[in-house]
Amino acid sequence: MNYIESEHLAQWISSGRASVAPQEACVKFHDYLIGFPWLPTRLDWRNVDHEVVDVSGMSEPDFVARAMRYRVGAHSHLLALFSPEQPGIICPVSDGFSNLDYIFWKASGVRYFCGVDLSSSRLPLYCYEDFGEFDGLAKVTFRM
């Protein structure tokens, strides 16, 4: 089963809060990410300019306001990557930041997201270089 078929995400998609990102976009994002050094289960951030935000103890509005200051926050939408073998979802960036734990609820472990802008014809323009990592608990790492 694809993650986007999970009841909570299917509801988001059917209500118009999110749309399906094609698998090809997820493969390209994954291919971009694997160009970086990796630890066994996650990107090795030691040589990537980044900042870690611990969201435990932060209000949702405070986290969203802070997240919007990073490169990925400069985009109108966010692509949530579940796996390169599956489609992802695209949602408005502030909605995505407000709901990272909800989006990745059934996809345990470290997950990645990147910025997306919509062209004048509403086609997604993926900005893979503007990305972040959600550890599945309380830490979000943003590329600077």
Side-chain angles (χ1 to χ4, degrees):
M1 178 170 116
N2 287 335
Y3 288 110
I4 65 167
E5 295 169 355
S6 299
E7 185 178 335
H8 70 295
L9 294 178
Q11 181 182 16
W12 257 35
I13 293 163
S14 67
S15 72
R17 278 184 80 180
S19 61
V20 176
Q23 180 188 355
E24 297 80 34
C26 295
V27 167
K28 287 180 181 176
F29 183 30
H30 176 264
D31 288 349
Y32 177 79
L33 290 172
I34 62 171
F36 290 93
W38 279 75
L39 298 170
T41 61
R42 66 185 332 148
L43 193 132
D44 182 351
W45 289 95
R46 289 178 291 190
N47 294 314
V48 179
D49 194 18
H50 70 283
E51 189 169 310
V52 178
V53 177
D54 186 342
V55 299
S56 58
M58 284 183 88
S59 71
E60 182 179 299
D62 287 344
F63 170 68
V64 171
R66 184 164 176 185
M68 296 298 278
R69 295 191 307 240
Y70 297 102
R71 290 171 54 159
V72 66
H75 301 281
S76 63
H77 288 74
L78 180 120
L79 163 66
L81 174 68
F82 299 102
S83 111
E85 294 85 27
Q86 294 190 23
I89 65 163
I90 297 172
C91 63
V93 71
S94 61
D95 206 14
F97 287 150
S98 295
N99 293 284
L100 285 176
D101 56 344
Y102 183 82
I103 291 169
F104 293 122
W105 171 34
K106 295 204 175 186
S108 62
V110 174
R111 297 293 166 184
Y112 294 88
F113 54 89
C114 70
V116 178
D117 290 317
L118 299 181
S119 70
S120 58
S121 58
R122 309 264 320 141
L123 293 173
L125 305 168
Y126 301 100
C127 303
Y128 304 125
E129 66 279 3
D130 299 336
F131 67 90
E133 174 190 272
F134 176 55
D135 75 349
L137 299 169
K139 291 197 173 116
V140 182
T141 305
F142 293 96
R143 182 175 188 196
M144 302 292 285

